[in-house]
mmCIF file with all atom_site columns, all heavy atoms in Angstrom:
data_model
loop_
_atom_site.group_PDB
_atom_site.id
_atom_site.type_symbol
_atom_site.label_atom_id
_atom_site.label_alt_id
_atom_site.label_comp_id
_atom_site.label_asym_id
_atom_site.label_entity_id
_atom_site.label_seq_id
_atom_site.pdbx_PDB_ins_code
_atom_site.Cartn_x
_atom_site.Cartn_y
_atom_site.Cartn_z
_atom_site.occupancy
_atom_site.B_iso_or_equiv
_atom_site.pdbx_formal_charge
_atom_site.auth_seq_id
_atom_site.auth_comp_id
_atom_site.auth_asym_id
_atom_site.auth_atom_id
_atom_site.pdbx_PDB_model_num
ATOM 1  N N   . VAL A 1 24 ? 99.126  58.440 170.555 1.00 96.00 ? 24 VAL A N   1
ATOM 2  C CA  . VAL A 1 24 ? 97.890  59.229 170.462 1.00 96.00 ? 24 VAL A CA  1
ATOM 3  C C   . VAL A 1 24 ? 97.851  60.046 169.173 1.00 96.00 ? 24 VAL A C   1
ATOM 4  O O   . VAL A 1 24 ? 96.781  60.279 168.594 1.00 96.00 ? 24 VAL A O   1
ATOM 5  C CB  . VAL A 1 24 ? 97.728  60.138 171.713 1.00 96.00 ? 24 VAL A CB  1
ATOM 6  C CG1 . VAL A 1 24 ? 98.755  61.244 171.742 1.00 96.00 ? 24 VAL A CG1 1
ATOM 7  C CG2 . VAL A 1 24 ? 96.326  60.718 171.810 1.00 96.00 ? 24 VAL A CG2 1
ATOM 8  N N   . HIS A 1 25 ? 99.028  60.455 168.689 1.00 94.00 ? 25 HIS A N   1
ATOM 9  C CA  . HIS A 1 25 ? 99.107  61.257 167.473 1.00 94.00 ? 25 HIS A CA  1
ATOM 10 C C   . HIS A 1 25 ? 98.594  60.464 166.277 1.00 94.00 ? 25 HIS A C   1
ATOM 11 O O   . HIS A 1 25 ? 97.822  60.970 165.457 1.00 94.00 ? 25 HIS A O   1
ATOM 12 C CB  . HIS A 1 25 ? 100.561 61.675 167.258 1.00 94.00 ? 25 HIS A CB  1
ATOM 13 C CG  . HIS A 1 25 ? 100.770 62.553 166.068 1.00 94.00 ? 25 HIS A CG  1
ATOM 14 N ND1 . HIS A 1 25 ? 99.918  63.578 165.743 1.00 94.00 ? 25 HIS A ND1 1
ATOM 15 C CD2 . HIS A 1 25 ? 101.723 62.557 165.112 1.00 94.00 ? 25 HIS A CD2 1
ATOM 16 C CE1 . HIS A 1 25 ? 100.351 64.177 164.652 1.00 94.00 ? 25 HIS A CE1 1
ATOM 17 N NE2 . HIS A 1 25 ? 101.435 63.569 164.239 1.00 94.00 ? 25 HIS A NE2 1
ATOM 18 N N   . GLN A 1 26 ? 99.033  59.203 166.159 1.00 93.00 ? 26 GLN A N   1
ATOM 19 C CA  . GLN A 1 26 ? 98.666  58.379 165.010 1.00 93.00 ? 26 GLN A CA  1
ATOM 20 C C   . GLN A 1 26 ? 97.268  57.787 165.155 1.00 93.00 ? 26 GLN A C   1
ATOM 21 O O   . GLN A 1 26 ? 96.577  57.557 164.164 1.00 93.00 ? 26 GLN A O   1
ATOM 22 C CB  . GLN A 1 26 ? 99.691  57.247 164.840 1.00 93.00 ? 26 GLN A CB  1
ATOM 23 C CG  . GLN A 1 26 ? 101.119 57.731 164.648 1.00 93.00 ? 26 GLN A CG  1
ATOM 24 C CD  . GLN A 1 26 ? 101.283 58.618 163.415 1.00 93.00 ? 26 GLN A CD  1
ATOM 25 O OE1 . GLN A 1 26 ? 100.435 58.639 162.519 1.00 93.00 ? 26 GLN A OE1 1
ATOM 26 N NE2 . GLN A 1 26 ? 102.359 59.382 163.384 1.00 93.00 ? 26 GLN A NE2 1
ATOM 27 N N   . VAL A 1 27 ? 96.885  57.509 166.400 1.00 94.00 ? 27 VAL A N   1
ATOM 28 C CA  . VAL A 1 27 ? 95.616  56.811 166.636 1.00 94.00 ? 27 VAL A CA  1
ATOM 29 C C   . VAL A 1 27 ? 94.427  57.643 166.157 1.00 94.00 ? 27 VAL A C   1
ATOM 30 O O   . VAL A 1 27 ? 93.464  57.114 165.600 1.00 94.00 ? 27 VAL A O   1
ATOM 31 C CB  . VAL A 1 27 ? 95.483  56.469 168.135 1.00 94.00 ? 27 VAL A CB  1
ATOM 32 C CG1 . VAL A 1 27 ? 94.048  56.251 168.530 1.00 94.00 ? 27 VAL A CG1 1
ATOM 33 C CG2 . VAL A 1 27 ? 96.329  55.246 168.462 1.00 94.00 ? 27 VAL A CG2 1
ATOM 34 N N   . LYS A 1 28 ? 94.525  58.946 166.356 1.00 87.00 ? 28 LYS A N   1
ATOM 35 C CA  . LYS A 1 28 ? 93.442  59.871 165.980 1.00 87.00 ? 28 LYS A CA  1
ATOM 36 C C   . LYS A 1 28 ? 92.836  59.559 164.619 1.00 87.00 ? 28 LYS A C   1
ATOM 37 O O   . LYS A 1 28 ? 91.647  59.264 164.494 1.00 87.00 ? 28 LYS A O   1
ATOM 38 C CB  . LYS A 1 28 ? 93.991  61.300 165.923 1.00 87.00 ? 28 LYS A CB  1
ATOM 39 C CG  . LYS A 1 28 ? 93.832  62.090 167.184 1.00 87.00 ? 28 LYS A CG  1
ATOM 40 C CD  . LYS A 1 28 ? 94.477  63.445 166.957 1.00 87.00 ? 28 LYS A CD  1
ATOM 41 C CE  . LYS A 1 28 ? 93.903  64.537 167.832 1.00 87.00 ? 28 LYS A CE  1
ATOM 42 N NZ  . LYS A 1 28 ? 94.580  65.814 167.520 1.00 87.00 ? 28 LYS A NZ  1
ATOM 43 N N   . GLY A 1 29 ? 93.671  59.652 163.576 1.00 89.00 ? 29 GLY A N   1
ATOM 44 C CA  . GLY A 1 29 ? 93.176  59.438 162.228 1.00 89.00 ? 29 GLY A CA  1
ATOM 45 C C   . GLY A 1 29 ? 92.882  57.976 161.941 1.00 89.00 ? 29 GLY A C   1
ATOM 46 O O   . GLY A 1 29 ? 91.911  57.632 161.260 1.00 89.00 ? 29 GLY A O   1
ATOM 47 N N   . LEU A 1 30 ? 93.735  57.122 162.494 1.00 94.00 ? 30 LEU A N   1
ATOM 48 C CA  . LEU A 1 30 ? 93.674  55.695 162.186 1.00 94.00 ? 30 LEU A CA  1
ATOM 49 C C   . LEU A 1 30 ? 92.355  55.060 162.601 1.00 94.00 ? 30 LEU A C   1
ATOM 50 O O   . LEU A 1 30 ? 91.783  54.237 161.881 1.00 94.00 ? 30 LEU A O   1
ATOM 51 C CB  . LEU A 1 30 ? 94.824  55.007 162.915 1.00 94.00 ? 30 LEU A CB  1
ATOM 52 C CG  . LEU A 1 30 ? 95.264  53.661 162.388 1.00 94.00 ? 30 LEU A CG  1
ATOM 53 C CD1 . LEU A 1 30 ? 95.693  53.784 160.937 1.00 94.00 ? 30 LEU A CD1 1
ATOM 54 C CD2 . LEU A 1 30 ? 96.416  53.142 163.229 1.00 94.00 ? 30 LEU A CD2 1
ATOM 55 N N   . LYS A 1 31 ? 91.874  55.464 163.767 1.00 93.00 ? 31 LYS A N   1
ATOM 56 C CA  . LYS A 1 31 ? 90.671  54.853 164.324 1.00 93.00 ? 31 LYS A CA  1
ATOM 57 C C   . LYS A 1 31 ? 89.494  54.991 163.349 1.00 93.00 ? 31 LYS A C   1
ATOM 58 O O   . LYS A 1 31 ? 88.791  54.021 163.070 1.00 93.00 ? 31 LYS A O   1
ATOM 59 C CB  . LYS A 1 31 ? 90.350  55.550 165.652 1.00 93.00 ? 31 LYS A CB  1
ATOM 60 C CG  . LYS A 1 31 ? 89.342  54.841 166.510 1.00 93.00 ? 31 LYS A CG  1
ATOM 61 C CD  . LYS A 1 31 ? 89.296  55.481 167.893 1.00 93.00 ? 31 LYS A CD  1
ATOM 62 C CE  . LYS A 1 31 ? 88.005  55.171 168.606 1.00 93.00 ? 31 LYS A CE  1
ATOM 63 N NZ  . LYS A 1 31 ? 87.985  55.769 169.962 1.00 93.00 ? 31 LYS A NZ  1
ATOM 64 N N   . SER A 1 32 ? 89.313  56.191 162.805 1.00 92.00 ? 32 SER A N   1
ATOM 65 C CA  . SER A 1 32 ? 88.175  56.366 161.897 1.00 92.00 ? 32 SER A CA  1
ATOM 66 C C   . SER A 1 32 ? 88.451  55.690 160.555 1.00 92.00 ? 32 SER A C   1
ATOM 67 O O   . SER A 1 32 ? 87.545  55.132 159.936 1.00 92.00 ? 32 SER A O   1
ATOM 68 C CB  . SER A 1 32 ? 87.854  57.848 161.711 1.00 92.00 ? 32 SER A CB  1
ATOM 69 O OG  . SER A 1 32 ? 88.993  58.544 161.286 1.00 92.00 ? 32 SER A OG  1
ATOM 70 N N   . THR A 1 33 ? 89.709  55.709 160.106 1.00 93.00 ? 33 THR A N   1
ATOM 71 C CA  . THR A 1 33 ? 90.031  55.042 158.836 1.00 93.00 ? 33 THR A CA  1
ATOM 72 C C   . THR A 1 33 ? 89.679  53.563 158.903 1.00 93.00 ? 33 THR A C   1
ATOM 73 O O   . THR A 1 33 ? 89.054  53.016 157.986 1.00 93.00 ? 33 THR A O   1
ATOM 74 C CB  . THR A 1 33 ? 91.538  55.180 158.524 1.00 93.00 ? 33 THR A CB  1
ATOM 75 O OG1 . THR A 1 33 ? 91.885  56.564 158.572 1.00 93.00 ? 33 THR A OG1 1
ATOM 76 C CG2 . THR A 1 33 ? 91.881  54.620 157.153 1.00 93.00 ? 33 THR A CG2 1
#
Side-chain angles (χ1 to χ4, degrees):
Chain A
V24 69
H25 182 42
Q26 302 300 343
V27 158
K28 266 178 154 181
L30 201 59
K31 194 170 159 179
S32 55
T33 306

